[in-house]
Amino acid sequence: MKAKIKLLLVLSLLLAANCMQHYFVHAEPLVPCLFAFGDSLTDCGNNNNRATLGRVNFLPYGIDFPQGPTGRFTNGRTSLDFISELLGFLKFIPPHADTSGSDILMGVNYASGGAGIRPESGMVGGNNIDLENQVRNHRAIFSEISEKLGGSENAKEYLNKCLYYVNIGNNDYLFNYFLFSIYLTRLFYTPQQYADNLLVRLFKYIQELHDDFGARKFVVVGVADIGCVPATTHQTNGSCVEEMSDAVSIFNDKLKSRVDQFNNHSSTHSKSIFVPSFDRSIFPAFPVANAPCCPTPCLPNRTPCQNRSNYMFWDETHPSEDANRITAQRSSNDIMRLVQSSIQTTTP
């Protein structure tokens, strides 16, 4: 049965890969720009010069990335990198920390390793850029775009056509709600209450992106199955911690509903979709799904595994490039439908 499941998964991924290759034949990107907000699953270098343990601009991180170590928390490309390729971008979206030489009209990546929806999440590892400050950074970029395009209304009209990618919330669970030794959050919130609290905060910022900057197309990514990452499972002899996975499921179910509500109550020209992050459903694609390729802790110049494509996880909390590819492929059809939809993109 497991072999049959794995075969079906591989076949479905091959079909998705063929679809992605079909869409790669663009004269220009399917959207004019891509803006990303998130944590270490999306960060591409915003933490490189920050006072934090969440900084990975050294080998073996980036060992399979064309430019080597850049600050990506994996051995190669992130899910966002694969999505940007799917959309036809010839260059990766640059980090906000270094847009020199980059065209900000093509987009900016604001994601920061350790960041959360709540400002205190992930701070146990050092300084990060939480979601509120990522949106604040976008406000500054919006001012630059307005100057380039001759005013804020022109900028909003341009950004109507762009894609906004939001992948955050993992650290609000892994390095907040379930980090009992540091945070007292669980004393004040049940899992249902905590999910509601996070979603109120999250959609406050999504609404701000919509109202203040003209954002109309959103990809909102669910929280990953943190109960099954090696940092968690090593405490349980390789088994997923279901309490953590259940809390994430509560959040994701509520997130799907909130995305639907946002679609129903926001501008008629606006469209948002929910897409899943990595979870245990893709584990059968990897011979090794319960141990990291890079030994823990994954310090500078550590020797990683040689057969990296066999590993679901790169380090104890982050997926490998191959896992990121699968995660992106699973969402490719939904994202393509979003960007190719006939939604009118003029600011109402």
Side-chain angles (χ1 to χ4, degrees), residues 83-101:
I83 290 169
S84 69
E85 291 178 346
L86 163 69
L87 295 173
F89 287 92
L90 299 180
K91 294 182 179 180
F92 295 116
I93 305 302
H96 177 260
D98 184 13
T99 56
S100 59

PDB file of all heavy atoms in Angstrom, residues 83-101:
ATOM      1  N   ILE A  83       7.978  29.281  -7.163  1.00  0.00           N
ATOM      2  CA  ILE A  83       6.774  29.987  -7.615  1.00  0.00           C
ATOM      3  C   ILE A  83       7.143  31.147  -8.525  1.00  0.00           C
ATOM      4  O   ILE A  83       6.480  31.391  -9.543  1.00  0.00           O
ATOM      5  CB  ILE A  83       5.953  30.465  -6.402  1.00  0.00           C
ATOM      6  CG1 ILE A  83       5.334  29.257  -5.697  1.00  0.00           C
ATOM      7  CG2 ILE A  83       4.872  31.466  -6.819  1.00  0.00           C
ATOM      8  CD1 ILE A  83       4.725  29.574  -4.358  1.00  0.00           C
ATOM      9  N   SER A  84       8.211  31.866  -8.195  1.00  0.00           N
ATOM     10  CA  SER A  84       8.633  32.980  -9.054  1.00  0.00           C
ATOM     11  C   SER A  84       9.062  32.469 -10.432  1.00  0.00           C
ATOM     12  O   SER A  84       8.787  33.113 -11.453  1.00  0.00           O
ATOM     13  CB  SER A  84       9.763  33.781  -8.392  1.00  0.00           C
ATOM     14  OG  SER A  84      10.970  33.041  -8.325  1.00  0.00           O
ATOM     15  N   GLU A  85       9.696  31.305 -10.465  1.00  0.00           N
ATOM     16  CA  GLU A  85      10.050  30.701 -11.754  1.00  0.00           C
ATOM     17  C   GLU A  85       8.784  30.305 -12.513  1.00  0.00           C
ATOM     18  O   GLU A  85       8.691  30.508 -13.734  1.00  0.00           O
ATOM     19  CB  GLU A  85      10.935  29.470 -11.526  1.00  0.00           C
ATOM     20  CG  GLU A  85      12.323  29.806 -11.009  1.00  0.00           C
ATOM     21  CD  GLU A  85      13.163  28.560 -10.734  1.00  0.00           C
ATOM     22  OE1 GLU A  85      12.576  27.453 -10.697  1.00  0.00           O
ATOM     23  OE2 GLU A  85      14.374  28.688 -10.560  1.00  0.00           O
ATOM     24  N   LEU A  86       7.823  29.737 -11.803  1.00  0.00           N
ATOM     25  CA  LEU A  86       6.545  29.365 -12.411  1.00  0.00           C
ATOM     26  C   LEU A  86       5.882  30.568 -13.086  1.00  0.00           C
ATOM     27  O   LEU A  86       5.317  30.458 -14.179  1.00  0.00           O
ATOM     28  CB  LEU A  86       5.624  28.793 -11.337  1.00  0.00           C
ATOM     29  CG  LEU A  86       4.130  28.691 -11.634  1.00  0.00           C
ATOM     30  CD1 LEU A  86       3.882  27.625 -12.693  1.00  0.00           C
ATOM     31  CD2 LEU A  86       3.355  28.369 -10.367  1.00  0.00           C
ATOM     32  N   LEU A  87       5.986  31.727 -12.445  1.00  0.00           N
ATOM     33  CA  LEU A  87       5.346  32.935 -12.951  1.00  0.00           C
ATOM     34  C   LEU A  87       6.142  33.592 -14.080  1.00  0.00           C
ATOM     35  O   LEU A  87       5.668  34.558 -14.682  1.00  0.00           O
ATOM     36  CB  LEU A  87       5.141  33.931 -11.807  1.00  0.00           C
ATOM     37  CG  LEU A  87       4.171  33.470 -10.712  1.00  0.00           C
ATOM     38  CD1 LEU A  87       4.174  34.451  -9.555  1.00  0.00           C
ATOM     39  CD2 LEU A  87       2.766  33.292 -11.271  1.00  0.00           C
ATOM     40  N   GLY A  88       7.335  33.082 -14.346  1.00  0.00           N
ATOM     41  CA  GLY A  88       8.113  33.592 -15.463  1.00  0.00           C
ATOM     42  C   GLY A  88       9.173  34.610 -15.113  1.00  0.00           C
ATOM     43  O   GLY A  88       9.769  35.217 -16.015  1.00  0.00           O
ATOM     44  N   PHE A  89       9.438  34.816 -13.829  1.00  0.00           N
ATOM     45  CA  PHE A  89      10.503  35.744 -13.440  1.00  0.00           C
ATOM     46  C   PHE A  89      11.858  35.122 -13.750  1.00  0.00           C
ATOM     47  O   PHE A  89      12.124  33.973 -13.389  1.00  0.00           O
ATOM     48  CB  PHE A  89      10.414  36.089 -11.954  1.00  0.00           C
ATOM     49  CG  PHE A  89       9.266  36.998 -11.604  1.00  0.00           C
ATOM     50  CD1 PHE A  89       8.036  36.473 -11.227  1.00  0.00           C
ATOM     51  CD2 PHE A  89       9.408  38.370 -11.680  1.00  0.00           C
ATOM     52  CE1 PHE A  89       6.968  37.301 -10.920  1.00  0.00           C
ATOM     53  CE2 PHE A  89       8.353  39.218 -11.365  1.00  0.00           C
ATOM     54  CZ  PHE A  89       7.129  38.683 -10.990  1.00  0.00           C
ATOM     55  N   LEU A  90      12.710  35.885 -14.410  1.00  0.00           N
ATOM     56  CA  LEU A  90      14.031  35.385 -14.773  1.00  0.00           C
ATOM     57  C   LEU A  90      15.041  35.568 -13.644  1.00  0.00           C
ATOM     58  O   LEU A  90      16.075  34.915 -13.632  1.00  0.00           O
ATOM     59  CB  LEU A  90      14.521  36.101 -16.040  1.00  0.00           C
ATOM     60  CG  LEU A  90      13.646  35.900 -17.284  1.00  0.00           C
ATOM     61  CD1 LEU A  90      14.222  36.655 -18.473  1.00  0.00           C
ATOM     62  CD2 LEU A  90      13.505  34.418 -17.613  1.00  0.00           C
ATOM     63  N   LYS A  91      14.732  36.455 -12.713  1.00  0.00           N
ATOM     64  CA  LYS A  91      15.591  36.672 -11.546  1.00  0.00           C
ATOM     65  C   LYS A  91      14.780  36.409 -10.290  1.00  0.00           C
ATOM     66  O   LYS A  91      13.568  36.601 -10.255  1.00  0.00           O
ATOM     67  CB  LYS A  91      16.117  38.113 -11.529  1.00  0.00           C
ATOM     68  CG  LYS A  91      17.053  38.457 -12.678  1.00  0.00           C
ATOM     69  CD  LYS A  91      17.560  39.891 -12.540  1.00  0.00           C
ATOM     70  CE  LYS A  91      18.523  40.250 -13.666  1.00  0.00           C
ATOM     71  NZ  LYS A  91      19.022  41.651 -13.545  1.00  0.00           N
ATOM     72  N   PHE A  92      15.479  35.973  -9.226  1.00  0.00           N
ATOM     73  CA  PHE A  92      14.811  35.764  -7.950  1.00  0.00           C
ATOM     74  C   PHE A  92      14.440  37.117  -7.345  1.00  0.00           C
ATOM     75  O   PHE A  92      15.152  38.106  -7.516  1.00  0.00           O
ATOM     76  CB  PHE A  92      15.701  34.978  -6.996  1.00  0.00           C
ATOM     77  CG  PHE A  92      15.986  33.572  -7.460  1.00  0.00           C
ATOM     78  CD1 PHE A  92      17.274  33.173  -7.781  1.00  0.00           C
ATOM     79  CD2 PHE A  92      14.961  32.646  -7.589  1.00  0.00           C
ATOM     80  CE1 PHE A  92      17.541  31.882  -8.216  1.00  0.00           C
ATOM     81  CE2 PHE A  92      15.215  31.350  -8.027  1.00  0.00           C
ATOM     82  CZ  PHE A  92      16.505  30.973  -8.339  1.00  0.00           C
ATOM     83  N   ILE A  93      13.329  37.134  -6.610  1.00  0.00           N
ATOM     84  CA  ILE A  93      12.873  38.361  -5.965  1.00  0.00           C
ATOM     85  C   ILE A  93      13.891  38.738  -4.882  1.00  0.00           C
ATOM     86  O   ILE A  93      14.223  37.918  -4.025  1.00  0.00           O
ATOM     87  CB  ILE A  93      11.477  38.175  -5.347  1.00  0.00           C
ATOM     88  CG1 ILE A  93      10.496  37.668  -6.410  1.00  0.00           C
ATOM     89  CG2 ILE A  93      10.980  39.480  -4.729  1.00  0.00           C
ATOM     90  CD1 ILE A  93      10.351  38.550  -7.625  1.00  0.00           C
ATOM     91  N   PRO A  94      14.421  39.972  -4.894  1.00  0.00           N
ATOM     92  CA  PRO A  94      15.496  40.336  -3.968  1.00  0.00           C
ATOM     93  C   PRO A  94      15.003  40.583  -2.545  1.00  0.00           C
ATOM     94  O   PRO A  94      13.840  40.947  -2.337  1.00  0.00           O
ATOM     95  CB  PRO A  94      16.029  41.640  -4.577  1.00  0.00           C
ATOM     96  CG  PRO A  94      14.832  42.251  -5.221  1.00  0.00           C
ATOM     97  CD  PRO A  94      14.054  41.083  -5.784  1.00  0.00           C
ATOM     98  N   PRO A  95      15.886  40.403  -1.555  1.00  0.00           N
ATOM     99  CA  PRO A  95      15.522  40.724  -0.176  1.00  0.00           C
ATOM    100  C   PRO A  95      15.437  42.236   0.020  1.00  0.00           C
ATOM    101  O   PRO A  95      16.168  43.000  -0.616  1.00  0.00           O
ATOM    102  CB  PRO A  95      16.676  40.130   0.643  1.00  0.00           C
ATOM    103  CG  PRO A  95      17.848  40.169  -0.292  1.00  0.00           C
ATOM    104  CD  PRO A  95      17.281  39.903  -1.666  1.00  0.00           C
ATOM    105  N   HIS A  96      14.556  42.650   0.892  1.00  0.00           N
ATOM    106  CA  HIS A  96      14.425  44.082   1.188  1.00  0.00           C
ATOM    107  C   HIS A  96      15.731  44.659   1.707  1.00  0.00           C
ATOM    108  O   HIS A  96      16.039  45.839   1.473  1.00  0.00           O
ATOM    109  CB  HIS A  96      13.312  44.305   2.221  1.00  0.00           C
ATOM    110  CG  HIS A  96      13.163  45.729   2.645  1.00  0.00           C
ATOM    111  ND1 HIS A  96      13.689  46.213   3.833  1.00  0.00           N
ATOM    112  CD2 HIS A  96      12.581  46.785   2.031  1.00  0.00           C
ATOM    113  CE1 HIS A  96      13.403  47.490   3.947  1.00  0.00           C
ATOM    114  NE2 HIS A  96      12.736  47.869   2.867  1.00  0.00           N
ATOM    115  N   ALA A  97      16.511  43.836   2.393  1.00  0.00           N
ATOM    116  CA  ALA A  97      17.777  44.313   2.967  1.00  0.00           C
ATOM    117  C   ALA A  97      18.795  44.696   1.908  1.00  0.00           C
ATOM    118  O   ALA A  97      19.759  45.405   2.199  1.00  0.00           O
ATOM    119  CB  ALA A  97      18.374  43.241   3.883  1.00  0.00           C
ATOM    120  N   ASP A  98      18.600  44.229   0.686  1.00  0.00           N
ATOM    121  CA  ASP A  98      19.559  44.544  -0.382  1.00  0.00           C
ATOM    122  C   ASP A  98      18.841  44.592  -1.728  1.00  0.00           C
ATOM    123  O   ASP A  98      18.827  43.619  -2.477  1.00  0.00           O
ATOM    124  CB  ASP A  98      20.686  43.504  -0.414  1.00  0.00           C
ATOM    125  CG  ASP A  98      21.761  43.849  -1.445  1.00  0.00           C
ATOM    126  OD1 ASP A  98      21.760  44.993  -1.954  1.00  0.00           O
ATOM    127  OD2 ASP A  98      22.581  42.972  -1.755  1.00  0.00           O
ATOM    128  N   THR A  99      18.258  45.732  -2.018  1.00  0.00           N
ATOM    129  CA  THR A  99      17.607  45.913  -3.313  1.00  0.00           C
ATOM    130  C   THR A  99      18.491  46.697  -4.275  1.00  0.00           C
ATOM    131  O   THR A  99      18.053  47.056  -5.370  1.00  0.00           O
ATOM    132  CB  THR A  99      16.265  46.655  -3.157  1.00  0.00           C
ATOM    133  OG1 THR A  99      16.492  47.903  -2.489  1.00  0.00           O
ATOM    134  CG2 THR A  99      15.269  45.826  -2.359  1.00  0.00           C
ATOM    135  N   SER A 100      19.741  46.937  -3.889  1.00  0.00           N
ATOM    136  CA  SER A 100      20.653  47.671  -4.756  1.00  0.00           C
ATOM    137  C   SER A 100      20.863  46.892  -6.056  1.00  0.00           C
ATOM    138  O   SER A 100      21.113  45.691  -6.046  1.00  0.00           O
ATOM    139  CB  SER A 100      22.000  47.891  -4.062  1.00  0.00           C
ATOM    140  OG  SER A 100      22.597  46.666  -3.709  1.00  0.00           O
ATOM    141  N   GLY A 101      20.736  47.589  -7.153  1.00  0.00           N
ATOM    142  CA  GLY A 101      20.895  46.944  -8.446  1.00  0.00           C
ATOM    143  C   GLY A 101      19.680  46.165  -8.892  1.00  0.00           C
ATOM    144  O   GLY A 101      19.691  45.544  -9.954  1.00  0.00           O
TER     145      GLY A 101
END
